[in-house]
Amino acid sequence: TDLQLSRGFEMATAASSSSGTDESQANSKWLDAHYDPVANLYTFSSCVNLADLHGDGEYKLVVGDLGTSWHDMKLKVYRGTDLLSENALPDMPASVATFLMEVHELCTPAVAVASGPFVYVYKNLRPYFKFTLPPLEINPLEKDVWEQAKEDKIDPLSLKEMLEMIREKADIPLSVRSLRFLALDPPEMDSFVNQYKMQPIKRQTVITCMSTLKKNMADEDAISCLVIGTENNEILVLDPEAFTILARMTLPSVPAFLDVMGQFDVEYRLTAACRNGCVYIFRRDSKKPKYCIELSSQPVGLVRVQKNIVAACSDQTLQGYTQKGKKLWMISLPATPMTVSLMDQKSRGFQAVLVALANMEVHMYQDKNLVNVIRTQVECDTVCRADVWIVMGAVGRDWLFPPVTLCGTEGKF
């Protein structure tokens, strides 16, 4: 694994006019601060965050590490380039977010890790709370046939036939138990039914993405709500203190990326890129999408730049839209985009979109204009899986841009 932190030290006012400069000029704007070919980090963009965890002005890198096996998943925190702490995770992380749960004199954000149907909350880097998604409605016909199997009124073959009929016609999907049963061969059915027929049927969804939304103030030290997208085509907004569901929104497809702006108690806009290749936009108090954007292909990343939406797509394009869904522009990229992130330096009023590409480059765009190219210092043949992740923010007490690229050859990272 290659952990490379590139430190930006020249944010020139003429950055917007630097399009078309040669490679040496582009690279001269960045210093290589750290390079570690054996960092052993396996993660995604959604599982990386930067936060001032102790309220001392020193930002740490928070990583949900997938590990190398099902029993090696950890929440890791880095101070600079040194590992500060790590906590074992019970399941594979889907997203990591930091947020303030309550206002104190010392602002110390909590860390939320989405994993399966749970959100694990850590305060002071210690386990604090576990939120569980509410169970889904059970198909009454499915429940009835399992009751018959429980009372030995039907044999496993009849159970299979009835479940197949329910799956074809019912509006409510079958539970995981029934789906597993339908995939079994006849010799395995008896033991499966005897093992599970006395247990209650459950339908549980899982979390696919997560973000945060300010509760009632836009200040940096204001409390925030967790916003989570689920496999059940829903978006939930959670109260930061009681962890009750404040709002529930329905989507036509499964959300893959979330971007949120505003305050929950005032006005907010929620943007979700889904697996059906569409982007849906919600406003406050809307249960269903207000606007819909049909992308040219599957989205691989989504950011909001001021009032506009920028999406990177798998057909090697970067597309810009208004918050009402009107297309502004579309440009072609030199390679497949792997992930995107927003560069927002408020002290200088500078915003740009960072796009990590499969050719080991990070392109910086203002609107549709390429203003800088950063080449990662790696010597590997291909990018493995889609595990390229970039985050923008402060590390330590300085402003750093850390593009971290996972790449390798023949399974070696």
Side-chain angles (χ1 to χ4, degrees), residues 125-138:
L125 301 180
R126 295 180 180 179
Y128 174 76
F129 183 78
K130 183 178 77 170
F131 170 79
T132 305
L133 290 176
L136 303 178
E137 181 184 358
I138 301 297

Side-chain angles (χ1 to χ4, degrees), residues 113-125:
V113 181
S115 180
F118 308 111
V119 177
Y120 300 95
V121 180
Y122 295 81
K123 288 190 69 174
N124 299 318
L125 301 180

Side-chain angles (χ1 to χ4, degrees), residues 30-54:
W30 302 91
L31 290 176
D32 292 335
H34 181 64
Y35 172 76
D36 186 358
V38 291
N40 291 323
L41 285 178
Y42 300 80
T43 191
F44 302 103
S45 289
S46 59
C47 296
V48 184
N49 217 305
L50 287 162
D52 179 10
L53 296 179
H54 299 100

